[in-house]
């Protein structure tokens, strides 16, 4: 299976054994993250979509525990991706804030497949490279360098940064958008 | 032996210092205090949770309940009862005077009656209870954009979590809306959170005291936490709760003040004339936080 979808509200209910729909407090965040990590390991999919559509409030502390620490943790092997889905403006703001604090970034899927954007901190070159892959589709280092009038080294650095941040997928010598469908 | 602790007629975050002075005057450990609230005519949520904190700190230290005289004005006593004060004060103080038998009311200007915060579940309860009421109050009465509600609940959550994460004991939260015409000329919504725990200085001491050397104090600890975002945890992701509150307040012209030990720090918006840092205050246990969100000028 390529894609796995995890309803975060369901993990929240299971983690705290109560009908809360708000992701608040570090303790709750840690419990939810552990639940998500278990499901990611068990399914072993290329992409995990975290579905926030039925989640109420997300506070900064909980966003840090759930999203930032998930990206930093060992439950997410290299080459695996996490994409946030069903986010509202308040969710995005809290998660963006904590990711920037840690120099991290994550993909968000809005609406149709392929409509990926980035939350968190992304330097100018990787941001430009991400925009180019999103616009033009899969490309290699020389194609990106030619398109943006960069040196090969600069293009390679930007694309590798995006792979390390799990924002692009590298296959052979081609860099592709993360599959979401 | 009994020692009278005077409570100002109007008890808010500013006049709280008179109360703290009275509490620490003389030999505060020598005699059982009598908190004299007979002449009180008004108390902000900060005042109410601060009073409970003083009672809690005394009880935890001495294993006896201090005395407390109920406000003589029936309206005041009824308001305090509706705000949930006496419900908790009865466990902490030996109450003297007539406590009105009225239901705790969370539907008027008391958005959240005095509520204990001891664990993560309490924060969930508080956040769950407040959202609908805060939404009505912030948009209808204060004229703030609907977007203000989520940020308000987030600020409330982070403020309460400071107790769970750092205090080492329980605390209290309350949220009221009231007219703040004296200083601002507008209505405000106020979140007040207070605990009788270790305070900012002791909480940060292990990580920060050596760095500051002789300059280490309650004021330095508050500056480190509130201005620099320092946390007692080595994890670089920590310390974001207060940063999140400041971010929210910057957007809605709000004010943050935190008192801990003998110092008080404030993030002061343009409409207020508070001082950023006050040191050498009378000692008061734990930490007391207040968030003030003003009505939009258009609404008023």
């Amino acid at each position: 299976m390529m894609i796995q979808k995890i309803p975060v509200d369901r993990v929240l209910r299971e983690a705290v054994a109560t009908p809360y729909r708000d992701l608040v407090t570090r303790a709750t965040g840690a419990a939810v993250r552990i639940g998500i990590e278990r499901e990611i390991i068990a399914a072993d999919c290329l992409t995990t979509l975290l579905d926030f559509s039925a989640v109420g409030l997300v506070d900064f502390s909980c966003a840090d525990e759930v999203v930032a620490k998930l990206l930093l943790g060992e439950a997410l092997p290299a080459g695996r991706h996490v994409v946030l889905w069903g986010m509202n403006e308040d969710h995005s703001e809290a998660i963006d804030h904590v990711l920037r604090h840690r120099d991290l970034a994550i993909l968000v899927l809005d609406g149709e497949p392929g409509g990926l954007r980035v939350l968190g901190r992304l330097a100018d070159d990787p941001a430009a490279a991400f925009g180019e892959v999103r616009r033009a589709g899969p490309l290699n280092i020389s194609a990106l360098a030619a398109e943006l009038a960069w040196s090969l080294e600069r293009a390679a650095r930007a694309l590798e940064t995006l792979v390390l941040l799990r924002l692009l997928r590298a296959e052979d010598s081609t860099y592709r958008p993360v599959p979401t469908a | 032996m009994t020692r009278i602790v005077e409570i100002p007629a109007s008890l808010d975050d500013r006049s709280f210092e008179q109360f703290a002075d009275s509490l620490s005057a003389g030999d505060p450990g020598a005699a059982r205090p009598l908190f004299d609230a007979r002449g009180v005519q008004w108390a902000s949520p900060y005042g109410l949770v601060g009073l409970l904190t003083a009672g809690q700190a005394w009880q935890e230290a001495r294993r006896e309940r201090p005395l407390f005289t109920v406000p003589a004005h029936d309206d005041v006593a009824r308001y305090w009862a509706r705000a949930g004060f006496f419900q908790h004060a009865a466990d902490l103080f030996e109450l003297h005077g007539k406590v009105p038998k009225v239901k705790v009311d969370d539907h008027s200007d008391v958005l959240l009656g005095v509520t204990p915060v001891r664990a993560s579940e309490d924060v969930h309860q508080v956040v769950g209870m407040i959202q609908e009421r805060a939404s009505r109050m912030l948009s209808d009465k204060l004229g703030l954009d609907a977007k203000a509600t989520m940020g308000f609940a987030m600020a409330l959550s982070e403020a309460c979590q400071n107790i769970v994460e750092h205090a080492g004991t329980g605390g209290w939260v309350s949220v009221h809306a009231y007219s703040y015409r004296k200083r601002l000329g507008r209505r405000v919504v106020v979140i007040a959170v207070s605990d009788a725990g270790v305070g900012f200085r002791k909480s940060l001491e292990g990580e920060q005291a050596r760095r500051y050397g002789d300059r280490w104090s309650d004021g330095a600890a508050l500056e480190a936490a509130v201005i620099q975002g320092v946390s007692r945890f080595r994890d670089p992701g920590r310390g974001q709760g207060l940063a999140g509150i400041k971010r929210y307040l910057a957007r809605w012209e709000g004010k943050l003040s935190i008192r801990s030990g003998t110092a008080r720090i404030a993030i002061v918006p343009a409409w207020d004339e508070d001082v950023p840092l006050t040191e050498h205050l009378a000692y008061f246990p734990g930490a007391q936080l207040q968030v003030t969100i003003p009505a939009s000028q258009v609404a008023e």
Side-chain angles (χ1 to χ4, degrees), chain B residues 131-154:
Chain B
Q131 285 182 64
E132 192 188 336
R133 282 175 224 155
S135 173
R136 273 202 307 269
M137 179 61 71
L138 294 175
S139 58
D140 297 353
K141 300 267 178 74
L142 270 67
L144 299 182
D145 191 291
K147 284 180 187 166
T149 306
M150 278 295 193
F152 182 82
M154 207 183 290

Side-chain angles (χ1 to χ4, degrees), chain A residues 102-170:
Chain A
R102 290 188 184 263
D103 277 337
L104 292 170
I106 198 165
L107 292 168
V108 178
L109 180 61
D110 293 320
E112 296 303 307
L116 289 167
R117 64 186 168 97
V118 175
L119 277 186
R121 191 183 299 283
L122 201 53
D124 290 347
D125 280 5
F130 181 83
E132 196 54 34
V133 173
R134 198 167 72 163
R135 186 188 68 78
L139 44 70
N140 59 25
I141 293 169
S142 53
L144 178 70
E147 193 62 43
L148 297 177
W150 286 355
S151 67
L152 289 175
E153 292 75 18
R154 186 176 173 185
R157 261 199 315 274
L159 289 168
E160 276 310 308
T161 300
L162 291 169
V163 171
L164 281 172
L165 288 168
R166 307 171 193 276
L167 304 178
L168 284 187
R169 177 159 183 74

Side-chain angles (χ1 to χ4, degrees), chain B residues 23 32-33 35 51-67 88-95 118 169 172 196 285:
Chain B
L23 185 64
R32 189 182 185 192
F35 292 81
L51 288 172
L52 291 175
T53 296
Q56 180 188 354
W58 180 270
Q59 197 184 74
E60 286 178 356
R62 311 278 163 183
R63 296 188 180 178
E64 69 172 352
R65 290 188 299 168
L67 306 161
H88 303 290
D91 296 330
L92 299 170
F93 299 99
E94 187 180 302
L95 294 174
R118 298 185 189 95
T169 187
W172 314 90

Side-chain angles (χ1 to χ4, degrees), chain A residues 25 28 59-61 93 102, chain B residues 120 124 157-158 161 235 251:
Chain A
T25 81
T28 296
D59 75 12
F60 293 102
S61 300
E93 191 176 325
R102 290 188 184 263
Chain B
S120 178
H124 273 278
S157 168
E158 298 290 358
Q161 281 180 73
D235 179 352
R251 183 177 301 175

